[in-house]
Amino acid sequence: MKIVICGGGTSGWLSALLLSYLAPNNKYVLIESSSIGTIGVGEGSTGLLRDVIRCNLYDFGLKEHNFFLNTDAVPKLGIEFKNWGSKNYISPIDGSTTAEFEVDYSSLVAISRGDGPEFCSRQGVRAVVGNIPYSNIDEMWNSNLGGAYHFDGVKLGNFLKDHVMTTRDNIKVIDSEIESIESESNVVSEIKLSNSEIISDVDLVVDCLGLDSVFNKTIDKGWVDYSKHLPVDSAIVFRKRNENISETRALTDAIAMKNGWMFKIPVANRYGCGYIYSSKFCSEDEARKELEDEGYDITESRKLSFKSGRLKEIWKGNVVAMGLSSGFLEPLQATSLHTTISHLTHLSKTVIACDPKGLTAQASGYNTFANQHFDSFVDFINLHYQCDRKDTDFWRYMTTKSRTKKVQEIIDICKGRLPFRRDYASFEGAASDLWGATLHGLDIIDKHVARKQLKYYYAIFDNEETIESEYDNNTRYFMQREHVASMKDFMEKYYG
């Protein structure tokens, strides 16, 4: 089978890594153009990227130490939401210690006591006290305590490329742009390149060229628009020098602004920053002025535009859209890279198991899986905007008119109890464990409701002492007794 990966970057080289490892007997061609330059600002990941880098999914031969050295990476333990409501809160990368159970006791205890969501999570408490999930920063490969990363996106793509190029002999790489494609009944047979080369006998195309790719323009895949629920569509991105390396935290800052929010991501000795806003509610000039009024130097900055939505048919014919080619929500909670890895893992399993003659027939099942990812993450991201801010037209819209049906359902459930795990969308790669922290942080669940629910369980199961003491012991252990490295030591060793 000949599989052609179109586009490099993180999505393209992740595709090459996973597919060539899991289905090594296929022929692979990767087409990327060195003339298309990009600038890395700073990105965050979920734990799925860590599973790839640490080879928890499969033994790709990657080394986490090399990843840190080559991508300006630093540990990530969660996101601190600032000014999204009456109080700030941390959304940990791992959810609560009991998020996977039918009854999330840790969250219930924390809510009833008035503690933030960070205090019922391993990574949350580590972030509060300034620790990271590594027992020894000189031997980081010996630690397997969870977490995620902040990194330079362009350098991640180059890191993956270097690894694939030196460890795989079943990939032909062509430096060229795509000039045109030949297709019939949505099946691509030839890809014509600007260097006059023609790629023929194509069995499968993995399109990593972005939403405006030649494949999306040629093959009508339809469009599902999410802008009613996620209206942000613009970004002003820039860098900020890290003036105090030693005080860097293992957290992304998500700072609510008048017409959206701003990310501030620690990467090496700087911060990658970006104001994510809705052009329906403010102009670029107004967004820039707001940043300048907040004291940010945006002399060297870029304006980006995007639209929130996905392809209706992510796999059609013999073309599978991957990464930004398939759709995009917005940067909050790093769902784009997470979705890419989940989709690639699923695609890899499909390619391995499938007879080439029946490959295109796999599209329907794949689309059901991929669409579910996007649709459920719209609900999860929309939930973050259901705060008590109503000080601008943007926030009045978000808190009164943007709500999805699922988010309304969950908020209604919270009037009487903390939702159970089964109340959320649950599938491979879902965000089921993270909903609770957002509901908790936004005070959507009242502490009196949580206390009543706890008393109900305590009366039935006679487990009050056990549950309360386990919560205290977990918090005390991660705050005082755990022997792990500090973020301060990490930053001073790598970037001081």
Side-chain angles (χ1 to χ4, degrees), residues 384-398:
H384 294 72
Y385 290 96
Q386 308 312 313
C387 56
D388 56 11
R389 283 195 66 151
K390 293 182 173 62
D391 54 316
T392 65
D393 288 343
F394 171 81
W395 285 105
R396 282 187 286 273
Y397 174 83
M398 293 307 298

PDB file of all heavy atoms in Angstrom, residues 384-398:
ATOM      1  N   HIS A 384     -16.234  26.273  29.660  1.00  0.00           N
ATOM      2  CA  HIS A 384     -15.343  27.214  30.333  1.00  0.00           C
ATOM      3  C   HIS A 384     -15.864  28.648  30.306  1.00  0.00           C
ATOM      4  O   HIS A 384     -15.502  29.466  31.157  1.00  0.00           O
ATOM      5  CB  HIS A 384     -13.951  27.172  29.679  1.00  0.00           C
ATOM      6  CG  HIS A 384     -13.233  25.874  29.861  1.00  0.00           C
ATOM      7  ND1 HIS A 384     -13.610  24.727  29.207  1.00  0.00           N
ATOM      8  CD2 HIS A 384     -12.170  25.533  30.623  1.00  0.00           C
ATOM      9  CE1 HIS A 384     -12.795  23.732  29.552  1.00  0.00           C
ATOM     10  NE2 HIS A 384     -11.912  24.193  30.405  1.00  0.00           N
ATOM     11  N   TYR A 385     -16.704  28.946  29.333  1.00  0.00           N
ATOM     12  CA  TYR A 385     -17.226  30.314  29.193  1.00  0.00           C
ATOM     13  C   TYR A 385     -18.497  30.552  30.024  1.00  0.00           C
ATOM     14  O   TYR A 385     -19.019  31.660  30.032  1.00  0.00           O
ATOM     15  CB  TYR A 385     -17.523  30.606  27.719  1.00  0.00           C
ATOM     16  CG  TYR A 385     -16.286  30.735  26.867  1.00  0.00           C
ATOM     17  CD1 TYR A 385     -15.793  29.654  26.145  1.00  0.00           C
ATOM     18  CD2 TYR A 385     -15.606  31.947  26.767  1.00  0.00           C
ATOM     19  CE1 TYR A 385     -14.660  29.772  25.350  1.00  0.00           C
ATOM     20  CE2 TYR A 385     -14.471  32.076  25.978  1.00  0.00           C
ATOM     21  CZ  TYR A 385     -14.000  30.978  25.271  1.00  0.00           C
ATOM     22  OH  TYR A 385     -12.874  31.098  24.489  1.00  0.00           O
ATOM     23  N   GLN A 386     -18.982  29.523  30.715  1.00  0.00           N
ATOM     24  CA  GLN A 386     -20.219  29.674  31.486  1.00  0.00           C
ATOM     25  C   GLN A 386     -19.908  30.176  32.906  1.00  0.00           C
ATOM     26  O   GLN A 386     -20.200  29.546  33.902  1.00  0.00           O
ATOM     27  CB  GLN A 386     -20.982  28.351  31.512  1.00  0.00           C
ATOM     28  CG  GLN A 386     -21.210  27.737  30.151  1.00  0.00           C
ATOM     29  CD  GLN A 386     -21.750  28.730  29.129  1.00  0.00           C
ATOM     30  OE1 GLN A 386     -22.696  29.475  29.416  1.00  0.00           O
ATOM     31  NE2 GLN A 386     -21.161  28.744  27.935  1.00  0.00           N
ATOM     32  N   CYS A 387     -19.282  31.339  32.944  1.00  0.00           N
ATOM     33  CA  CYS A 387     -18.847  31.937  34.207  1.00  0.00           C
ATOM     34  C   CYS A 387     -19.790  33.086  34.582  1.00  0.00           C
ATOM     35  O   CYS A 387     -20.845  33.253  33.966  1.00  0.00           O
ATOM     36  CB  CYS A 387     -17.408  32.435  34.084  1.00  0.00           C
ATOM     37  SG  CYS A 387     -17.172  33.608  32.725  1.00  0.00           S
ATOM     38  N   ASP A 388     -19.417  33.850  35.575  1.00  0.00           N
ATOM     39  CA  ASP A 388     -20.309  34.939  36.011  1.00  0.00           C
ATOM     40  C   ASP A 388     -19.888  36.298  35.449  1.00  0.00           C
ATOM     41  O   ASP A 388     -20.305  37.332  35.963  1.00  0.00           O
ATOM     42  CB  ASP A 388     -20.398  34.982  37.539  1.00  0.00           C
ATOM     43  CG  ASP A 388     -19.043  35.114  38.213  1.00  0.00           C
ATOM     44  OD1 ASP A 388     -18.048  35.378  37.509  1.00  0.00           O
ATOM     45  OD2 ASP A 388     -18.980  34.940  39.451  1.00  0.00           O
ATOM     46  N   ARG A 389     -19.091  36.302  34.381  1.00  0.00           N
ATOM     47  CA  ARG A 389     -18.722  37.571  33.744  1.00  0.00           C
ATOM     48  C   ARG A 389     -19.818  38.029  32.778  1.00  0.00           C
ATOM     49  O   ARG A 389     -20.286  37.252  31.941  1.00  0.00           O
ATOM     50  CB  ARG A 389     -17.410  37.439  32.959  1.00  0.00           C
ATOM     51  CG  ARG A 389     -16.175  37.440  33.818  1.00  0.00           C
ATOM     52  CD  ARG A 389     -14.935  37.672  32.984  1.00  0.00           C
ATOM     53  NE  ARG A 389     -14.901  39.014  32.380  1.00  0.00           N
ATOM     54  CZ  ARG A 389     -13.774  39.667  32.093  1.00  0.00           C
ATOM     55  NH1 ARG A 389     -12.606  39.113  32.362  1.00  0.00           N
ATOM     56  NH2 ARG A 389     -13.819  40.848  31.537  1.00  0.00           N
ATOM     57  N   LYS A 390     -20.205  39.277  32.903  1.00  0.00           N
ATOM     58  CA  LYS A 390     -21.184  39.868  31.988  1.00  0.00           C
ATOM     59  C   LYS A 390     -20.843  41.339  31.749  1.00  0.00           C
ATOM     60  O   LYS A 390     -21.731  42.165  31.518  1.00  0.00           O
ATOM     61  CB  LYS A 390     -22.600  39.731  32.551  1.00  0.00           C
ATOM     62  CG  LYS A 390     -23.111  38.283  32.623  1.00  0.00           C
ATOM     63  CD  LYS A 390     -24.524  38.223  33.148  1.00  0.00           C
ATOM     64  CE  LYS A 390     -25.076  36.807  33.059  1.00  0.00           C
ATOM     65  NZ  LYS A 390     -24.346  35.848  33.863  1.00  0.00           N
ATOM     66  N   ASP A 391     -19.536  41.664  31.772  1.00  0.00           N
ATOM     67  CA  ASP A 391     -19.117  43.063  31.720  1.00  0.00           C
ATOM     68  C   ASP A 391     -18.939  43.612  30.312  1.00  0.00           C
ATOM     69  O   ASP A 391     -18.754  44.818  30.133  1.00  0.00           O
ATOM     70  CB  ASP A 391     -17.817  43.242  32.512  1.00  0.00           C
ATOM     71  CG  ASP A 391     -16.727  42.289  32.052  1.00  0.00           C
ATOM     72  OD1 ASP A 391     -17.021  41.095  31.846  1.00  0.00           O
ATOM     73  OD2 ASP A 391     -15.577  42.725  31.881  1.00  0.00           O
ATOM     74  N   THR A 392     -18.967  42.755  29.280  1.00  0.00           N
ATOM     75  CA  THR A 392     -18.867  43.220  27.893  1.00  0.00           C
ATOM     76  C   THR A 392     -19.886  42.466  27.052  1.00  0.00           C
ATOM     77  O   THR A 392     -20.443  41.439  27.479  1.00  0.00           O
ATOM     78  CB  THR A 392     -17.460  42.980  27.306  1.00  0.00           C
ATOM     79  OG1 THR A 392     -17.230  41.560  27.219  1.00  0.00           O
ATOM     80  CG2 THR A 392     -16.376  43.637  28.159  1.00  0.00           C
ATOM     81  N   ASP A 393     -20.110  42.942  25.828  1.00  0.00           N
ATOM     82  CA  ASP A 393     -21.043  42.250  24.931  1.00  0.00           C
ATOM     83  C   ASP A 393     -20.578  40.819  24.664  1.00  0.00           C
ATOM     84  O   ASP A 393     -21.402  39.896  24.560  1.00  0.00           O
ATOM     85  CB  ASP A 393     -21.162  43.018  23.604  1.00  0.00           C
ATOM     86  CG  ASP A 393     -21.943  44.320  23.742  1.00  0.00           C
ATOM     87  OD1 ASP A 393     -22.658  44.478  24.757  1.00  0.00           O
ATOM     88  OD2 ASP A 393     -21.821  45.180  22.839  1.00  0.00           O
ATOM     89  N   PHE A 394     -19.263  40.645  24.531  1.00  0.00           N
ATOM     90  CA  PHE A 394     -18.735  39.294  24.300  1.00  0.00           C
ATOM     91  C   PHE A 394     -19.124  38.365  25.440  1.00  0.00           C
ATOM     92  O   PHE A 394     -19.658  37.272  25.202  1.00  0.00           O
ATOM     93  CB  PHE A 394     -17.208  39.327  24.153  1.00  0.00           C
ATOM     94  CG  PHE A 394     -16.577  37.961  24.124  1.00  0.00           C
ATOM     95  CD1 PHE A 394     -16.569  37.213  22.960  1.00  0.00           C
ATOM     96  CD2 PHE A 394     -15.996  37.409  25.272  1.00  0.00           C
ATOM     97  CE1 PHE A 394     -15.998  35.934  22.935  1.00  0.00           C
ATOM     98  CE2 PHE A 394     -15.422  36.149  25.249  1.00  0.00           C
ATOM     99  CZ  PHE A 394     -15.423  35.408  24.069  1.00  0.00           C
ATOM    100  N   TRP A 395     -18.872  38.772  26.668  1.00  0.00           N
ATOM    101  CA  TRP A 395     -19.149  37.898  27.805  1.00  0.00           C
ATOM    102  C   TRP A 395     -20.644  37.728  28.048  1.00  0.00           C
ATOM    103  O   TRP A 395     -21.092  36.660  28.477  1.00  0.00           O
ATOM    104  CB  TRP A 395     -18.426  38.400  29.056  1.00  0.00           C
ATOM    105  CG  TRP A 395     -16.957  38.098  28.979  1.00  0.00           C
ATOM    106  CD1 TRP A 395     -15.945  38.963  28.727  1.00  0.00           C
ATOM    107  CD2 TRP A 395     -16.349  36.799  29.102  1.00  0.00           C
ATOM    108  NE1 TRP A 395     -14.738  38.311  28.681  1.00  0.00           N
ATOM    109  CE2 TRP A 395     -14.947  36.978  28.918  1.00  0.00           C
ATOM    110  CE3 TRP A 395     -16.832  35.522  29.355  1.00  0.00           C
ATOM    111  CZ2 TRP A 395     -14.053  35.917  28.974  1.00  0.00           C
ATOM    112  CZ3 TRP A 395     -15.935  34.458  29.412  1.00  0.00           C
ATOM    113  CH2 TRP A 395     -14.566  34.653  29.224  1.00  0.00           C
ATOM    114  N   ARG A 396     -21.440  38.751  27.735  1.00  0.00           N
ATOM    115  CA  ARG A 396     -22.889  38.585  27.862  1.00  0.00           C
ATOM    116  C   ARG A 396     -23.396  37.557  26.854  1.00  0.00           C
ATOM    117  O   ARG A 396     -24.276  36.750  27.167  1.00  0.00           O
ATOM    118  CB  ARG A 396     -23.594  39.936  27.675  1.00  0.00           C
ATOM    119  CG  ARG A 396     -23.532  40.834  28.913  1.00  0.00           C
ATOM    120  CD  ARG A 396     -24.380  42.084  28.763  1.00  0.00           C
ATOM    121  NE  ARG A 396     -23.758  43.058  27.865  1.00  0.00           N
ATOM    122  CZ  ARG A 396     -22.878  43.968  28.256  1.00  0.00           C
ATOM    123  NH1 ARG A 396     -22.508  44.035  29.533  1.00  0.00           N
ATOM    124  NH2 ARG A 396     -22.361  44.839  27.384  1.00  0.00           N
ATOM    125  N   TYR A 397     -22.811  37.584  25.647  1.00  0.00           N
ATOM    126  CA  TYR A 397     -23.193  36.584  24.651  1.00  0.00           C
ATOM    127  C   TYR A 397     -22.776  35.189  25.110  1.00  0.00           C
ATOM    128  O   TYR A 397     -23.569  34.235  25.053  1.00  0.00           O
ATOM    129  CB  TYR A 397     -22.543  36.896  23.299  1.00  0.00           C
ATOM    130  CG  TYR A 397     -22.793  35.805  22.268  1.00  0.00           C
ATOM    131  CD1 TYR A 397     -23.973  35.768  21.538  1.00  0.00           C
ATOM    132  CD2 TYR A 397     -21.861  34.774  22.071  1.00  0.00           C
ATOM    133  CE1 TYR A 397     -24.227  34.751  20.630  1.00  0.00           C
ATOM    134  CE2 TYR A 397     -22.096  33.758  21.163  1.00  0.00           C
ATOM    135  CZ  TYR A 397     -23.289  33.754  20.440  1.00  0.00           C
ATOM    136  OH  TYR A 397     -23.541  32.734  19.551  1.00  0.00           O
ATOM    137  N   MET A 398     -21.533  35.045  25.538  1.00  0.00           N
ATOM    138  CA  MET A 398     -21.015  33.720  25.911  1.00  0.00           C
ATOM    139  C   MET A 398     -21.799  33.109  27.063  1.00  0.00           C
ATOM    140  O   MET A 398     -22.032  31.896  27.092  1.00  0.00           O
ATOM    141  CB  MET A 398     -19.530  33.814  26.273  1.00  0.00           C
ATOM    142  CG  MET A 398     -18.614  34.167  25.110  1.00  0.00           C
ATOM    143  SD  MET A 398     -18.801  33.114  23.653  1.00  0.00           S
ATOM    144  CE  MET A 398     -18.358  31.502  24.301  1.00  0.00           C
TER     145      MET A 398
END
